[in-house]
Amino acid sequence: MSRLGSVQRKVPCLFVTQVKEEPSAKRERQSFKVLATETINQKALDADIYNAIPTEKVDGTCCYVTTYKGQPYLWARLDRKPNKLSEKRFKRFLYSMEDSKEFIWNIEEDFRPVPECWIPAKEIQQSSGNPLPDENGHIPGWVPVEKNSKQYRWHSSVVNYEAEIALILKCHADDPGRLEISSVPLSDLLEQTLELIGTNINANPYGLGSKKHPLHLLVPHGAFEIKNPPMLKHSDILSWFESCTEGKIEGIVWHCNDGHLIKLHRHHLGMCWPIPETYLNSQPVVIAVNGTKYDCDFEPKCLFNHFSKLDGQRFSRLKDIKFDV
């Protein structure tokens, strides 16, 4: 089953959503929330949502693995966005017409420049060989993460291009109730999307590492299947998020048999995220990073070296991992 992430394609919500105004302390500002109704989205029904596989929606930043310079590389998300003048014109159009599909873009002149190595995300519609913006006026895409990159240093910390490996967090193959951190060949991850999580990503909702000793990991999309999912009813899902241990997650992504993805975020139900204790950071984990397998010397301060020193060790909770440095 293909399990590409949300940057590669637009992922609809499980329920039909509606925008509701929220009271604001400042009169000049009006805030809005996109909230789920109790009606299941027709797109979800068409994708046979009742036979889909529910997985945990992990809170990180999306990445992609594909070839660059003749070898597998990690790529960071970089959306191509319109310049200020074009963005104002687009917003005025939306205010008057309310349908972004009717807006006419000049791809060469309306958008900010991106690096030459930038590539658009897959499945984006194109016209005359040019990728078309989404309904927000952005063109989702990717840039390769170079070794020792300053801008993408946390992305860079989870890959080693000399050994061609990446640090992956996944379920333990022989013990589904345990997580595993392992070094995986980048070639095994080709054309997959993943989430980068950790100390300096999205305010670190999983409590990993520390400012002095940052800890980051890659999680393949669809890695954590939900074993006891709720029924596909608004009330049942709300109750599951509120009272079940397995429901202490950011959201759910259903992987349908036809390849479509359907999602539901806690925010769609008016619930808070992040939360103090998450299901992911409370699970036991084993380290499986054997540095002697690779014909290269890891830098002393790199994550691969730190994890190789912990090879074989078990921790009762993911967030308990500490480096002895």
Side-chain angles (χ1 to χ4, degrees), residues 71 160-166 184-186 294-296 298 304:
Q71 71 176 90
N160 183 299
Y161 292 131
E162 186 179 355
E164 296 191 3
I165 54 176
V184 173
L186 278 164
Y294 306 103
D295 189 21
C296 69
F298 295 132
F304 290 90

Side-chain angles (χ1 to χ4, degrees), residues 6-39:
S6 58
V7 174
Q8 298 286 69
R9 65 183 80 175
K10 180 65 178 175
V11 181
C13 180
L14 172 68
F15 296 110
V16 174
T17 57
Q18 59 186 13
V19 179
K20 285 192 175 182
E21 295 183 2
E22 291 290 312
S24 176
K26 295 184 179 180
R27 291 184 178 180
E28 67 272 16
R29 289 186 179 181
Q30 181 64 58
S31 59
F32 301 89
K33 278 189 175 182
V34 177
L35 296 174
T37 65
E38 296 188 7
T39 304

Side-chain angles (χ1 to χ4, degrees), residues 220-234:
H221 283 139
F224 304 136
E225 183 176 340
I226 296 172
K227 301 301 181 183
N228 299 295
M231 298 290 288
L232 297 182
K233 290 177 58 180
H234 189 283

Side-chain angles (χ1 to χ4, degrees), residues 53-314:
I53 298 174
T55 67
E56 176 177 349
K57 184 181 186 302
V58 178
D59 187 1
T61 183
C62 196
C63 305
Y64 176 46
V65 176
T66 193
T67 304
Y68 180 63
K69 295 181 179 178
Q71 71 176 90
Y73 247 69
L74 183 69
W75 295 60
R77 178 177 178 175
L78 179 66
D79 287 5
R80 191 174 184 189
K81 299 178 181 179
N83 54 45
K84 288 186 178 180
L85 287 176
S86 301
E87 187 173 21
K88 287 182 180 178
R89 186 164 55 91
F90 179 60
K91 287 183 176 180
R92 283 198 301 268
F93 181 88
L94 289 184
Y95 184 77
S96 61
M97 300 296 292
E98 298 182 352
D99 187 354
S100 62
K101 293 181 180 179
E102 296 180 13
F103 187 80
I104 299 175
W105 292 98
N106 184 323
I107 303 299
E108 295 181 359
E109 297 181 4
D110 290 345
F111 286 83
R112 298 174 185 177
V114 288
E116 288 187 8
C117 54
W118 179 88
I119 59 172
K122 288 184 177 179
E123 298 186 15
I124 286 181
Q125 292 184 341
Q126 299 206 3
S127 176
S128 302
N130 291 317
L132 295 176
D134 60 20
E135 69 275 12
N136 299 314
H138 295 179
I139 307 175
W142 312 100
V143 288
V145 175
E146 297 283 11
K147 180 182 178 181
N148 300 324
S149 165
K150 289 185 179 180
Q151 183 177 2
Y152 298 109
R153 60 187 180 279
W154 310 124
H155 294 70
S156 178
S157 70
V158 297
V159 290
N160 183 299
Y161 292 131
E162 186 179 355
E164 296 191 3
I165 54 176
L167 282 171
I168 300 295
L169 175 67
K170 59 183 180 179
C171 289
H172 194 282
D174 300 323
D175 185 359
R178 188 182 300 276
L179 300 174
E180 177 184 283
I181 296 172
S182 58
S183 51
V184 173
L186 278 164
S187 58
D188 289 356
L189 304 171
L190 277 171
E191 304 310 315
Q192 290 188 38
T193 54
L194 313 93
E195 290 289 311
L196 176 69
I197 64 172
T199 310
N200 296 288
I201 305 297
N202 290 3
N204 194 17
Y206 304 111
L208 301 180
S210 65
K211 185 175 181 180
K212 188 175 181 181
H213 302 299
L215 193 164
H216 297 89
L217 298 162
L218 289 169
V219 181
H221 283 139
F224 304 136
E225 183 176 340
I226 296 172
K227 301 301 181 183
N228 299 295
M231 298 290 288
L232 297 182
K233 290 177 58 180
H234 189 283
S235 58
D236 288 347
I237 295 176
L238 182 63
S239 176
W240 182 81
F241 274 125
E242 287 179 330
S243 55
C244 289
T245 300
E246 202 176 3
K248 294 181 179 181
I249 60 178
E250 184 195 20
I252 305 174
V253 177
W254 286 268
H255 293 257
C256 303
N257 291 327
D258 64 358
H260 282 88
L261 303 176
I262 305 294
K263 69 179 179 182
L264 182 68
H265 195 289
R266 292 174 74 98
H267 287 160
H268 290 139
L269 302 175
M271 304 178 71
C272 291
W273 178 267
I275 55 178
E277 293 292 330
T278 69
Y279 181 60
L280 184 62
N281 70 15
S282 64
Q283 293 183 70
V285 61
V286 62
I287 312 299
V289 181
N290 184 353
T292 62
K293 289 170 52 178
Y294 306 103
D295 189 21
C296 69
D297 294 324
F298 295 132
E299 296 176 6
K301 294 183 178 181
C302 80
L303 284 176
F304 290 90
N305 188 52
H306 292 327
F307 276 118
S308 66
K309 291 179 180 179
L310 299 176
D311 184 40
Q313 291 194 32
R314 297 170 181 262

